[in-house]
Amino acid sequence: TKIIIVGASHGGHESAIELLDKYENVDVTIYEAGDFVSFMSCGMQLYLEDQVTDVNDVRNFRPEDITSKGGNIYNNHEVTAIDADKKQVTVKDVKNGTEEQVDYDKLILSSGVTPKNLPVPGTDLKNVYLMRGYDWATKIKAALTDDSIKNVAVVGSGYIGIEAAEVFAKNGKHVTLFDFIDRPLGNYLNHEMTDIIDKTLKDNGIQVEMSQSITSFAGDGKVESVETKKGSYPADLVIQAAGVQPNTEWLKGVVNLTDRGFIDVDSYLRTNLPDVFAIGDAILPLSIPAGKPSPIALATTARREAQYVVNHIFEKKPSQIFKGVVGSSALHVFDENFASTGVNEFTAERSNVEIVNSHYVDHIRPAYVPEGEGNVQVDVDITYDPHTHVVLGGAVLSTHDLTAQGNVLALAVEHKLTVEDLAEADFFFQPGYDRQWSLINLAAQHALGYAR
Ligand code: FAD
């Protein structure tokens, strides 16, 4: 069976290795339009912080990882068209412009997204950057040590913008962080925790400008300021981390797309074309807690979708639908670490999901362990359905790395556990790590009104 995969990032990589590891007699070819295979943007912050062996190592895989398993991979090869009747794709060698038609039995699209310029004047000025992929990563790295850059404006306070803000601040730049929503990381955390993040950012010298609407980037050839409805802010460099564009222009008129250009898939991740599947950032996955397709653009999502597609690709009609994803993220913001999962007060409202949230504050170990490094504060949110008590989201935030507890909440969301289930779940106790009841037990008991 001949399987063609478009895009050599998380979705393409996972599809290829799942196929090559699980099946014999598969002829697997990945086409990648870009030159570098396969930069891992998730590792960009570590690279910018000098915590990696080499920029060329920050990747999902090397071509030989696929060819050694019997697969094929071509970089600088862009798939430009699909002929569903002939079951062929047109592949263009972007180096020399030649095109060829290639047959497929099954086609997996993981063409992802490209970060978007803001729809304002001045995005073409020098030093207005985006943040994804190898080329932008190396440009941002160079800017960190460029003494002519003193003021950096970061637009977008999602985790990508926060990563950028932190790394520039740590390199001695004055950073202004903009968003049109009213709090940093508001898509991930509820207000009690964004208050902590807001303070942490400010304590570390970042100027936090929320509820701001950007009207233009101004400058003479090179950016000099960010103009908003409220004022003008000096900027020698702008990092735009607000919004993406699905890489689906080439599919228009052939593959059904949503009005924002995402590939329309059914519950089996099939497109409207026979034997053509789509995964990754280019689709909107089913969110388990929201119960509807939602923007959960994560490597974790792309890989689960790839695994699902490969597990069912040879069935005429897949025996099982794709169950959806929860959407979990973890991040450090200076000294704070958090993990969040599912919906929060902001995303629940956007998805029209009724929630209540319980915010619990505690110390991680028994009171006889002196407060300080060994016994620090932790904040836990449990977000749940007010009628059924099914857990729909949550977060854990502390200066101590308790991010793994976020995965406990993620599992609860995925398996539709209730707050009552979490209140009595049998977790370990050892005073070196926790209290007589484990953190998530306590947070759930608090939600039910009886924390110890
Ligand atoms: P993409 O990564 O978008 O890649 C698509 C690929 O397809 C590209 O290489 C592109 O060149 C190629 N392509 C597109 N069109 C064609 C075509 N027509 N022909 C051939 N090739 C084509 N996620 C996490 O889970 N955890 C993290 O910590 C995390 N950190 C991140 C940090 C940053 C700075 C960024 C930008 C993203 C981060 N993500 C993280 C998100 C994660 O990177 C994406 O969800 C993931 O890369 C999506 O994979 P994908 O396969 O859908 O496509």
Side-chain angles (χ1 to χ4, degrees), residues 155-289:
V155 183
S157 71
Y159 70 88
I160 296 174
I162 296 283
E163 287 181 356
E166 178 169 349
V167 82
F168 277 105
K170 282 182 174 164
N171 277 266
K173 312 292 185 193
H174 175 257
V175 176
T176 312
L177 177 68
F178 295 93
D179 207 311
F180 71 90
I181 67 170
D182 62 353
R183 52 196 110 116
L185 289 169
N187 273 318
Y188 300 86
L189 300 172
N190 295 326
H191 63 277
E192 295 90 346
M193 292 196 193
T194 58
D195 285 350
I196 297 173
I197 298 292
D198 186 73
K199 181 172 183 310
T200 302
L201 293 169
K202 288 172 179 161
D203 287 350
N204 285 281
I206 294 178
Q207 188 177 336
V208 181
E209 294 289 343
M210 296 294 109
S211 304
Q212 283 271 20
S213 176
I214 290 167
T215 51
S216 69
F217 303 126
D220 186 8
K222 188 171 135 316
V223 70
E224 286 159 25
S225 67
V226 173
E227 305 294 318
T228 78
K229 285 188 177 156
K230 290 185 191 165
S232 177
Y233 301 82
D236 309 306
L237 178 79
V238 172
I239 306 285
Q240 303 179 90
V244 293
Q245 180 67 47
N247 297 323
T248 54
E249 194 64 31
W250 61 289
L251 298 171
K252 268 191 184 153
V254 177
V255 171
N256 290 346
L257 306 177
T258 69
D259 48 5
R260 291 194 48 218
F262 290 95
I263 302 172
D264 222 347
V265 289
D266 65 10
S267 314
Y268 305 96
L269 306 185
R270 299 179 300 190
T271 69
N272 57 305
L273 302 180
D275 294 313
V276 181
F277 301 80
I279 58 174
D281 284 9
I283 71 166
L284 295 180
L286 172 68
S287 157
I288 293 174

Side-chain angles (χ1 to χ4, degrees), residues 6-7 9-11 31-34 41-42 77-79 110-113 131-132 159-160 163 247 250 280-281 297-300:
V6 182
S9 182
H10 287 279
Y31 290 110
E32 166 54 50
S41 289
C42 317
H77 278 68
E78 184 181 355
V79 180
S110 195
S111 55
V113 296
M131 187 163 166
R132 192 182 183 103
Y159 70 88
I160 296 174
E163 287 181 356
N247 297 323
W250 61 289
D281 284 9
L298 288 169
T300 51

